[in-house]
């Protein structure tokens, strides 16, 4: 079985500072990367910044600095955000790096060599904000301004000499590929949208611009720069040192396991990108997953709308792990979601402080008083104990399958349910009434400690810093976390010391009007 896993976030466009939408994509990608690592996979996790195009050039001009300096400053804020969000990414790519330029120009040459590029004239609508071309049918007018219907961004009419990619040539191949690979585009609703778009007829795509200079030059045609999306998408290859197909990174990790993206860039990833790859005779990624937006009210967050929610503000008030937990639990993955302060506080109080933190403290405090702070003996599990423990053993393969289907909701619901049952078990078993039956008391405590360990291992990809603290109960560090071990009931060794821990999550005093 292939135990290599390559996950990518969209590379972020650094025309402005990061917002909650960027944080969401990154946190979810980090969750999958950490899960796969604890399941024994060799993981390559890529994020980065997409730094070319007219939008960047204009933003730099407004600040009266050159585009490279502008990109250096803003890209650093995204790199800093990766640290702030405690991402476990193995690489951070910038499209202004030499390794990337080399790959893009090589890909261009391959497309040209295979007769998939020709020179003509472009005339049509272009959105600087989206860095995208639109047909007449995709345009409407609002307050005398032409806008793209899908994004609401303003468009301008452009006429200039341009190189074109023969996208129309790949229409049938793409449709065949979608049919043969039903999981290539997820979730299903997004796949239907893409198939409908492709069946509507693909037109050849303008892939160079002459009206501005900030971009990678077209080989042998220095007055053209390569269209930002052909440039940007190639990052997934340049990070693996393509075109060196003998490079270890490329051999291990291409094709990518999953490109995790926001739904607004689905067309680029599920139509243009596979067509470029087909034309260059490069294998396609295994999956493109288009998740929903984090909304501000009912609208997508954007700088132009001035409705940006800064993840750093939330982290400062509530801490990082509560934000990570909230985004993974409360946003139904694949759909749009809102940040609600009220629901975030409920998550912290109910799930993290009461259900998880309180369970850890109650059981360890009881073990300190009644088991001399040692892991008790575990030889006499009864049916009630095994019902609790076997929940993990019986569902381990299903957990893996659901994660491979990006079903985060199943995963988090499983944990919440296990926490509820673990608390109920400890209450119902009443070990404090079993002081005359030492074997039974020991088994209840052992079972409860095992439940804490199993749940903690599963929570690690979601709230890694908190779990690092929680594992001090068992004198374990995060290197000990192994998903397979949640199927075992004898992981904890009798007689080993256990520790009480400080409060993991402070309850929030809710403000009532």
């Amino acid at each position: 079985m292939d135990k290599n896993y390559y996950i990518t976030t969209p590379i972020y466009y650094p025309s402005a500072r990061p917002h909650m939408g960027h944080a969401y994509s990154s946190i979810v990608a980090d969750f999958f990367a950490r899960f796969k690592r604890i399941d024994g996979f060799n993981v390559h996790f890529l994020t980065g910044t997409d730094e070319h195009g007219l939008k960047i050039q204009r933003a730099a001009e407004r600040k009266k600095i050159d585009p490279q300096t502008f990109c250096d400053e803003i890209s650093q804020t995204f790199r800093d955000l990766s640290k702030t969000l405690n991402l476990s990414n193995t690489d951070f790519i910038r499209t202004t790096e030499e390794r990337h330029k080399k790959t893009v120009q090589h890909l261009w040459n391959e497309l040209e060599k295979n007769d998939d590029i020709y020179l003509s004239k472009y005339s049509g609508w272009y959105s600087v904000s989206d860095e995208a071309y639109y047909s007449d049918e995709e345009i409407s007018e609002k307050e005398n301004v032409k806008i793209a219907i899908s994004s609401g961004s303003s468009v301008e009419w452009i006429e200039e000499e341009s190189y074109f990619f023969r996208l129309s040539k790949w229409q049938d191949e793409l449709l065949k590929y979608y049919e043969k690979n039903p999981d290539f585009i997820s979730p299903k609703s997004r796949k239907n949208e893409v198939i409908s778009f492709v069946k509507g007829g693909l037109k050849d795509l303008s892939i160079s611009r002459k009206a501005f200079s900030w971009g990678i030059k077209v080989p042998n045609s220095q007055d053209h720069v390569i269209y930002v999306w052909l440039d940007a998408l190639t990052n997934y290859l340049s990070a693996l040192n393509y075109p060196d197909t003998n490079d270890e990174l490329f051999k291990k990790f291409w094709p990518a396991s999953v490109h995790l993206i926001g739904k607004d860039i689905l067309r680029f990833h599920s139509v243009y990108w596979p067509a470029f790859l087909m034309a260059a005779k490069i294998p396609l990624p295994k999956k493109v997953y288009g998740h929903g937006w984090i909304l501000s009210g009912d609208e997508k967050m954007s700088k132009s709308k001035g409705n940006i929610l800064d993840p750093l503000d939330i982290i400062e008030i509530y801490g990082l792990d509560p934000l990570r937990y909230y985004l993974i639990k409360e946003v139904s993955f694949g759909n749009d979601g809102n940040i609600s302060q009220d629901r975030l506080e409920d998550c912290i109080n109910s799930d993290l402080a009461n259900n998880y933190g309180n369970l850890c403290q109650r059981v360890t405090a009881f073990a300190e008083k009644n088991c001399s702070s040692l892991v008790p003996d575990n030889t006499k599990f009864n049916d009630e104990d095994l019902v609790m423990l076997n929940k993990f053993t019986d569902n381990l393969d299903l957990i893996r399958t659901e994660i491979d289907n990006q079903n985060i909701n199943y995963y988090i619901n499983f944990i919440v349910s296990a926490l509820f049952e673990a608390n109920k078990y400890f209450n119902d078993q009443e070990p404090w009434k079993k002081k005359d039956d030492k074997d039974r008391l020991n088994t209840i405590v052992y079972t409860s400690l095992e439940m804490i360990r199993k749940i903690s291992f599963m929570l690690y990809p979601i709230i890694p810093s908190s779990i690092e603290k929680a594992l001090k109960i068992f004198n374990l560090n995060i290197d000990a976390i192994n998903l397979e071990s949640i199927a075992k009931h004898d992981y904890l060794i009798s007689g080993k010391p256990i520790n009480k821990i400080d409060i993991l999550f402070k309850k929030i005093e809710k403000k009532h009007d």
Side-chain angles (χ1 to χ4, degrees):
M1 184 180 137
D2 173 16
K3 291 290 271 188
N4 294 318
Y5 185 80
Y6 179 28
I7 185 165
T8 66
T9 71
I11 52 169
Y12 303 118
Y13 207 58
S15 59
R17 293 177 68 78
H19 59 61
M20 192 62 76
H22 303 124
Y24 179 62
S25 287
S26 296
I27 286 167
V28 171
D30 187 62
F31 162 77
F32 286 121
R34 288 179 187 270
F35 176 89
K36 284 293 181 179
R37 280 195 200 99
I38 65 171
D39 201 21
F41 281 73
N42 185 17
V43 173
H44 196 55
F45 169 19
L46 178 70
T47 188
T49 44
D50 163 17
E51 301 178 18
H52 291 130
L54 184 54
K55 187 158 64 166
I56 294 281
Q57 186 171 309
R58 286 184 178 172
E61 282 164 2
R62 282 195 297 274
K63 284 195 125 190
K64 297 187 170 54
I65 55 176
D66 70 277
Q68 185 65 57
T69 305
F70 177 84
C71 288
D72 290 347
E73 286 175 10
I74 304 260
S75 179
Q76 189 58 46
T77 65
F78 282 87
R79 202 184 279 273
D80 292 345
L81 183 69
S82 299
K83 292 192 178 74
T84 304
L85 298 176
N86 192 15
L87 302 187
S88 60
N89 56 298
T90 42
D91 197 358
F92 186 100
I93 188 129
R94 299 181 58 188
T95 57
T96 47
E97 292 175 51
E98 278 310 311
R99 61 172 171 159
H100 178 72
K101 291 176 186 173
K102 196 172 80 179
T103 302
V104 171
Q105 290 186 319
H106 176 87
L107 182 63
W108 180 284
N109 288 335
E110 288 298 293
L111 298 177
E112 203 162 43
K113 188 173 81 185
N114 297 338
D115 193 31
D116 277 288
I117 290 177
Y118 62 92
L119 187 62
S120 185
K121 189 169 182 182
Y122 177 77
S123 56
W125 298 106
Y126 185 74
S127 161
V128 176
S129 177
D130 302 341
E131 297 284 9
Y133 301 97
Y134 292 103
S135 65
D136 285 338
E137 303 81 62
E138 295 174 298
I139 299 302
S140 70
E141 197 165 308
K142 188 177 178 185
E143 295 167 4
N144 298 323
V145 176
K146 299 280 189 193
I147 60 164
I149 295 166
S150 58
S151 66
S153 304
S154 64
V155 295
E156 51 194 68
W157 185 262
I158 283 173
E159 292 189 24
E160 64 179 12
E161 181 184 73
S162 174
Y163 284 94
F164 282 77
F165 171 70
R166 296 185 196 278
L167 185 63
S168 56
K169 169 181 160 183
W170 296 98
Q171 179 171 327
D172 291 344
E173 288 297 319
L174 284 167
L175 290 170
K176 271 187 226 156
Y177 191 83
Y178 303 149
E179 199 176 328
K180 276 190 197 157
N181 300 275
D183 292 333
F184 175 63
I185 303 164
S186 287
K188 200 171 277 179
S189 58
R190 309 258 189 268
K191 180 173 81 170
N192 298 338
E193 181 190 313
V194 168
I195 289 171
S196 163
F197 172 74
V198 175
K199 280 184 172 169
L202 293 178
K203 293 177 180 152
D204 289 352
L205 182 69
S206 169
I207 53 167
S208 76
R209 297 292 309 277
K210 282 178 82 174
F212 61 93
S213 57
W214 183 241
I216 297 172
K217 303 288 185 231
V218 169
N220 307 316
S221 191
Q222 295 294 296
D223 54 344
H224 286 259
V225 297
I226 295 172
Y227 173 46
V228 70
W229 272 105
L230 175 53
D231 163 359
L233 290 161
T234 308
N235 89 90
Y236 305 127
L237 290 172
S238 57
L240 302 181
N241 300 323
Y242 178 84
D244 181 359
T245 53
N246 289 317
D247 186 273
E248 272 308 298
L249 278 177
F250 187 84
K251 283 201 298 192
K252 268 188 191 170
F253 294 113
W254 193 261
S257 309
V258 59
H259 292 322
L260 202 61
I261 57 164
K263 63 182 181 180
D264 49 329
I265 54 174
L266 185 66
R267 187 185 298 179
F268 304 107
H269 283 78
S270 56
V271 181
Y272 303 166
W273 181 226
F276 296 151
L277 292 169
M278 285 173 173
K281 300 181 172 56
I282 299 168
L284 271 58
K286 293 172 191 169
K287 183 176 285 191
V288 174
Y289 192 103
H291 65 68
W293 291 330
I294 299 296
L295 302 176
S296 182
D298 296 323
E299 294 187 307
K300 182 194 175 203
M301 274 180 267
S302 75
K303 183 181 174 243
S304 55
K305 288 177 181 158
N307 61 356
I308 300 293
L309 188 58
D310 191 333
L312 301 181
D313 293 344
I314 303 283
I315 291 166
E316 198 172 317
I317 300 166
Y318 297 102
L320 170 62
D321 278 358
L323 174 64
R324 287 178 60 114
Y325 182 87
Y326 172 86
L327 288 173
I328 285 171
K329 177 173 183 253
E330 292 292 325
V331 177
S332 176
F333 193 55
N335 299 321
D336 294 343
N338 261 304
I339 288 277
S340 150
Q341 190 173 353
D342 208 38
R343 288 212 330 262
L344 173 59
E345 290 178 354
D346 284 345
C347 264
I348 294 168
N349 288 347
S350 173
D351 292 15
L352 297 175
N354 286 354
N355 282 359
Y356 179 63
N358 192 35
L359 178 70
C360 291
Q361 285 189 292
R362 284 175 75 203
V363 174
T364 52
F366 186 84
E368 180 186 39
K369 280 185 189 159
N370 299 281
C371 307
S372 311
S373 287
L374 299 173
V375 175
D377 193 43
N378 68 323
T379 51
K380 297 182 175 67
F381 293 135
N382 67 18
D383 288 348
E384 288 171 303
D385 310 327
L386 289 170
V387 163
M388 299 301 299
L389 297 168
N390 286 337
K391 179 183 170 84
F392 296 85
T393 313
D394 297 345
N395 288 290
L396 185 56
D397 286 337
L398 180 58
I399 288 165
R400 289 184 172 119
T401 301
E402 295 295 352
I403 287 296
D404 283 337
N405 292 327
Q406 286 71 49
N407 190 353
I408 294 176
N409 303 38
Y410 169 85
Y411 187 85
I412 192 76
N413 289 339
F414 182 94
I415 292 172
V416 171
S417 156
L419 270 171
F420 173 79
E421 286 164 21
N423 275 295
K424 186 174 186 306
Y425 167 86
F426 194 70
N427 283 338
D428 291 355
Q429 294 298 319
E430 300 180 314
W432 46 90
K433 292 186 178 174
K434 309 284 192 300
K435 292 188 181 173
D436 295 336
D437 183 353
K438 198 65 179 164
D439 281 353
R440 186 65 199 139
L441 180 148
N442 283 347
T443 304
I444 294 165
V445 172
Y446 187 94
T447 303
S448 300
L449 288 168
E450 256 300 316
M451 290 290 289
I452 289 169
R453 178 192 70 82
K454 293 174 196 292
I455 291 166
S456 298
F457 279 20
M458 284 188 72
L459 276 170
Y460 167 73
I462 306 173
I463 50 170
S465 298
S466 303
I467 296 309
E468 201 167 349
K469 291 177 195 160
L471 290 183
K472 288 178 181 160
I473 292 170
F474 309 109
N475 297 294
L476 295 174
N477 61 33
I478 53 173
D479 296 337
I481 299 176
N482 175 291
L483 188 72
E484 188 66 40
S485 75
I486 72 167
K488 301 184 176 79
H489 308 329
D490 57 355
Y491 183 96
L492 299 175
I493 298 164
S494 299
K496 289 280 185 183
I498 51 176
N499 305 304
K500 268 175 70 177
I501 51 166
D502 294 332
I503 292 172
L504 286 169
F505 299 97
K506 286 189 181 142
K507 287 187 75 167
I508 307 290
E509 289 295 322
K510 299 202 54 150
K511 298 178 179 69
H512 295 285
D513 293 336

